[in-house]
Amino acid sequence: MPSRENSIDKRDFRTRDAARPLLSQHDSAESSHRTSQDGSHAGSFFEQVAEGIQEQDRKRMRREVIRWASFAWAIVECLCAGSITAYSLYGHLFQTHLRYSQYRVNIISITAELAMYLPVPLFGFLCDRYGPAPLSISAGAVFGLGYLLAAFAYKSGPPPDIGTGDGHGWPFGVMVLAFVAVGMGTSGMYLSAVTTCAKNFGRGRHKGFALAMPIAAFGLSGMWQSQVGEKLLYETRPDGSRGDVDVHRYFLFLGCTLLGAGLIGGVALRVINEDEMIDEAVSELERSGLLEESDFFGRDSLENGTDYGTLPSDRHLSDEDAAEFQVRKQRARDSRRKKTALLNTETRRFLVDPTMWWLAAGFFLVTGPGEAFINNIGSILPTLYPAGTPADAIPTTAATHVSIVAVTSTAARILTGTLSDLLAPTPPRHPAHRRPGSATLSSSIPSLPIPATDPESRKPWYARPPTISRIAFLLAATLLLSAGQALLASGAVQQHGERLWLVSAAIGAGYGAAFSLVPIVIGAVWGVENFGTNWGVVAMVPAGGAAVWGAVFAAVYQAHAGVGEERGGGVGRGSGAEAEERMCYGIECYAVTFWGMAVSVWVACGMWAWAWRGPGGWKRMGVAV
């Protein structure tokens, strides 16, 4: 064992620096600097996170502001776009001032209806591909041109071909051309507004309300515009009292108003998050096997044949900027291809679906009678009383009933849209059950299990909230419409003009509900990605219905014009002037027409019930409608 003297102990090495701290002052300063630098880096990181969150919130807020601003202006546009619904306010003045026959008055309205409905698929296609703004601007320009042309055609007086020899105004064809422009402007402005709302709100809980509001505003436009014409833009009689609407000034007012609305809509109407909506729809179709990735990727021939977005050759970019530009250009190309492939696929699936044709056929049979009644209120009202009855003795006016139709139509659109959101069944979450597709998918749907991912589906039936299908609302509303037509055809209103409000209210409510619920059904069954095109195809069919029933009304009316009949109060050939011989009085002028309209609506109800509950219908395919 070594001695203590030979051992080494740390205390044997005491020096003058024995009291020196473990870290020198320099080392301590460096350590303190590193600590503060690390804290600075941590603070910078959290600041970046906070800034990123704030930036996301700002973007989200901007999107919401744009979404609701677009919604608000869509309502304003629709409040202006439905000017054609006030046709009854001045339609009868075409007979008295321009000396048009009832046939010519109906030709103008039918032509406007055709021009309003037939281009809708094309307008919807353009709206889906290029957005609502260009369509809104074009609609405003066409609107302004049409009403300005109609204003000066009316002011020019009767056309030369009226047969009396004193016609000196513009030809009848000019007025027809003017209303072709009015019809096209109506559909363009309406579709740009409604499509904007459908795409911005169509995947949310309140899609029915979001669609019902602009559609209701469209129906309301005829009311306020007819009141402006009757209360402000009127002619003054020799005794100083208020006369009929001054059609020339009224048309000028409409032309300027609608031109401004369309131009502002070119800035205000925007679709939010359309790329995300397209991506979700593409993913859904890929899962269901209805769309392949090769449909929109790998088209080298197309890429080599186009050079969209290429910068000028004298523009010098760094390698990083050039690479970033190429990436952005490729993303834009892929996005365009993906969107085009999706919309083409959606259009094909929509057109080959048999239930779509049942829906469209029923819409044809319902809207035609409604359009014919609205366009001919001014002609129906005098038929309720004997010839020679002064206007002051008739207890109501055409403008009043245009307003009644507008108010009830508006109320029905908002009510049915809101109730459908609250009471309609919730769609299943399985992607294959979302929309009807090809025949293969449709045939396999009944065998596919629907996963019970919704908490409501696990509850017993008596504990679930009540649901009412949108089709049930649609059937109830159209039956109400037919009740109004049957009431008028029965003669219950003859010589009782104060009862005509019942007919106007019933027809207005049913007509408005149909125009609200059918596009909501289309969005619920086939989605909103291709809504403009899909709704445009179905919205085209009222043109045929309006033409058919407008022609039937005119034929029945003209067949009894000038034919004296004591029971109906008709006018004899020798008892009136030539203008009176073009007018019809009595129940015979309209009874057959409106009985036929009621039957037409009943047939439509059967078609919709078949599309809903029949073999291969939406109920059987598991589509929540």
Side-chain angles (χ1 to χ4, degrees):
M1 180 175 181
S3 65
R4 181 174 180 84
E5 288 79 3
N6 294 330
S7 66
I8 299 175
D9 191 271
K10 64 180 179 180
R11 289 174 295 180
D12 294 335
F13 294 91
R14 295 181 61 86
T15 66
R16 61 184 180 180
D17 297 330
R20 182 176 60 86
L22 295 178
L23 290 177
S24 67
Q25 185 177 2
H26 176 71
D27 293 337
S28 177
E30 287 185 356
S31 176
S32 176
H33 175 70
R34 285 195 301 269
T35 302
S36 63
Q37 191 174 25
D38 292 342
S40 176
H41 287 166
S44 176
F45 170 75
F46 287 113
E47 287 176 1
Q48 291 176 1
V49 171
E51 289 176 359
I53 294 174
Q54 291 176 356
E55 182 63 24
Q56 290 179 358
D57 289 341
R58 283 193 292 267
K59 288 181 179 179
R60 188 180 299 109
M61 179 61 68
R62 282 196 297 268
R63 287 197 299 266
E64 291 304 310
V65 169
I66 294 173
R67 188 197 309 272
W68 288 101
S70 298
F71 178 70
W73 191 254
I75 293 175
V76 173
E77 276 207 0
C78 285
L79 275 172
C80 299
S83 59
I84 192 67
T85 60
Y87 184 80
S88 294
L89 179 67
Y90 50 83
H92 63 287
L93 297 178
F94 287 166
Q95 290 180 288
T96 58
H97 181 77
L98 300 180
R99 302 181 187 176
Y100 290 167
S101 65
Q102 185 64 43
Y103 275 121
R104 286 195 166 186
V105 173
N106 278 73
I107 285 173
I108 294 173
S109 66
I110 291 171
T111 303
E113 299 284 352
L114 292 173
M116 181 169 65
Y117 289 118
L118 292 181
V120 173
L122 175 61
F123 291 162
F125 176 88
L126 296 175
C127 194
D128 285 333
R129 265 68 176 178
Y130 304 106
L135 184 59
S136 177
I137 295 172
S138 303
V142 173
F143 248 140
L145 177 64
Y147 273 121
L148 290 177
L149 189 62
F152 289 101
Y154 183 87
K155 188 177 182 180
S156 68
D161 60 348
I162 60 172
T164 60
D166 58 348
H168 51 78
W170 291 5
F172 170 69
V174 175
M175 186 67 77
V176 174
L177 179 63
F179 274 84
V180 167
V182 169
M184 293 178 66
T186 301
S187 61
M189 191 170 289
Y190 165 84
L191 195 62
S192 64
V194 173
T195 302
T196 300
C197 296
K199 294 195 174 186
N200 282 340
F201 297 92
R203 286 179 172 261
R205 294 179 56 190
H206 306 294
K207 56 179 173 288
F209 177 79
L211 275 176
M213 287 300 294
I215 294 173
F218 182 82
L220 197 62
S221 58
M223 185 195 74
W224 76 265
Q225 288 169 357
S226 64
Q227 293 301 316
V228 167
E230 186 182 31
K231 307 297 184 184
L232 299 178
L233 304 175
Y234 56 84
E235 296 176 338
T236 304
R237 294 194 179 107
D239 60 358
S241 61
R242 185 169 60 198
D244 289 315
V245 61
D246 186 335
V247 178
H248 174 69
R249 288 198 298 155
Y250 182 66
F251 284 169
L252 291 178
F253 160 75
L254 291 177
C256 296
T257 301
L258 290 161
L259 175 61
L263 294 179
I264 297 175
V267 178
L269 298 181
R270 295 175 61 184
V271 177
I272 306 302
N273 294 337
E274 186 175 20
D275 291 340
E276 295 180 9
M277 178 176 64
I278 294 295
D279 290 340
E280 291 177 7
V282 167
S283 299
E284 184 177 315
L285 289 178
E286 286 177 341
R287 287 194 301 268
S288 63
L290 296 174
L291 185 66
E292 298 293 338
E293 187 175 356
S294 59
D295 291 340
F296 47 86
F297 287 125
R299 299 182 184 179
D300 295 336
S301 59
L302 177 62
E303 185 173 346
N304 294 333
T306 58
D307 201 16
Y308 300 116
T310 303
L311 293 178
S313 58
D314 58 348
R315 177 87 173 265
H316 297 288
L317 295 174
S318 66
D319 292 341
E320 293 182 358
D321 291 339
E324 183 179 358
F325 172 73
Q326 291 296 331
V327 170
R328 290 181 179 178
K329 186 169 68 171
Q330 186 61 40
R331 286 177 181 173
R333 287 175 175 172
D334 290 343
S335 178
R336 285 195 298 269
R337 292 175 187 171
K338 185 183 295 186
K339 180 177 179 179
T340 301
L342 171 70
L343 297 181
N344 290 341
T345 301
E346 294 279 10
T347 302
R348 286 194 299 268
R349 293 173 57 238
F350 181 74
L351 293 176
V352 301
D353 188 351
T355 60
M356 183 278 290
W357 294 105
W358 288 114
L359 180 67
F363 200 53
F364 169 88
L365 295 174
V366 167
T367 54
E371 296 276 1
F373 174 80
I374 293 171
N375 290 337
N376 291 285
I377 292 176
S379 299
I380 293 170
L381 195 57
T383 67
L384 303 179
Y385 293 90
T389 302
D392 296 339
I394 299 178
T396 187
T397 64
T400 299
H401 288 276
V402 170
S403 299
I404 290 173
V405 170
V407 169
T408 54
S409 174
T410 301
R413 295 176 198 218
I414 296 175
L415 184 64
T416 53
T418 304
L419 289 178
S420 69
D421 283 339
L422 297 174
L423 300 176
T426 304
R429 303 197 180 191
H430 195 283
H433 288 74
R434 180 170 172 255
R435 306 175 201 149
S438 62
T440 303
L441 180 65
S442 300
S443 61
S444 63
I445 278 178
S447 61
L448 291 176
I450 303 177
T453 56
D454 191 350
E456 295 293 336
S457 63
R458 299 191 183 99
K459 297 180 180 178
W461 65 268
Y462 53 82
R464 300 175 191 172
T467 60
I468 301 177
S469 172
R470 295 179 178 91
I471 304 300
F473 284 115
L474 185 59
L475 295 176
T478 49
L479 288 175
L480 177 64
L481 184 149
S482 69
Q485 294 163 337
L487 179 64
L488 180 61
S490 67
V493 185
Q494 191 66 28
Q495 298 190 16
H496 293 282
E498 69 278 3
R499 301 175 185 171
L500 186 62
W501 74 269
L502 295 171
V503 177
S504 298
I507 292 179
Y511 177 84
F515 263 95
S516 176
L517 288 168
V518 169
I520 294 173
V521 168
I522 290 174
V525 176
W526 291 281
V528 297
E529 299 81 17
N530 203 39
F531 178 84
T533 304
N534 294 348
W535 172 225
V537 170
V538 177
M540 176 178 64
V541 301
V548 169
W549 288 107
V552 170
F553 176 85
V556 174
Y557 183 100
Q558 210 66 39
H560 294 87
V563 179
E565 193 162 334
E566 297 179 2
R567 178 171 57 86
V571 179
R573 287 284 181 186
S575 62
E578 182 180 349
E580 285 294 324
E581 293 188 1
R582 292 194 297 269
M583 307 299 290
C584 182
Y585 301 92
I587 190 174
E588 293 83 1
C589 303
Y590 58 82
V592 173
T593 303
F594 280 89
W595 278 123
M597 290 178 180
V599 173
S600 173
V601 173
W602 297 336
V603 173
C605 290
M607 291 181 173
W608 286 338
W610 181 265
W612 177 32
R613 294 276 186 170
W618 301 317
K619 182 72 173 179
R620 184 174 179 82
M621 290 194 297
V623 178
V625 68

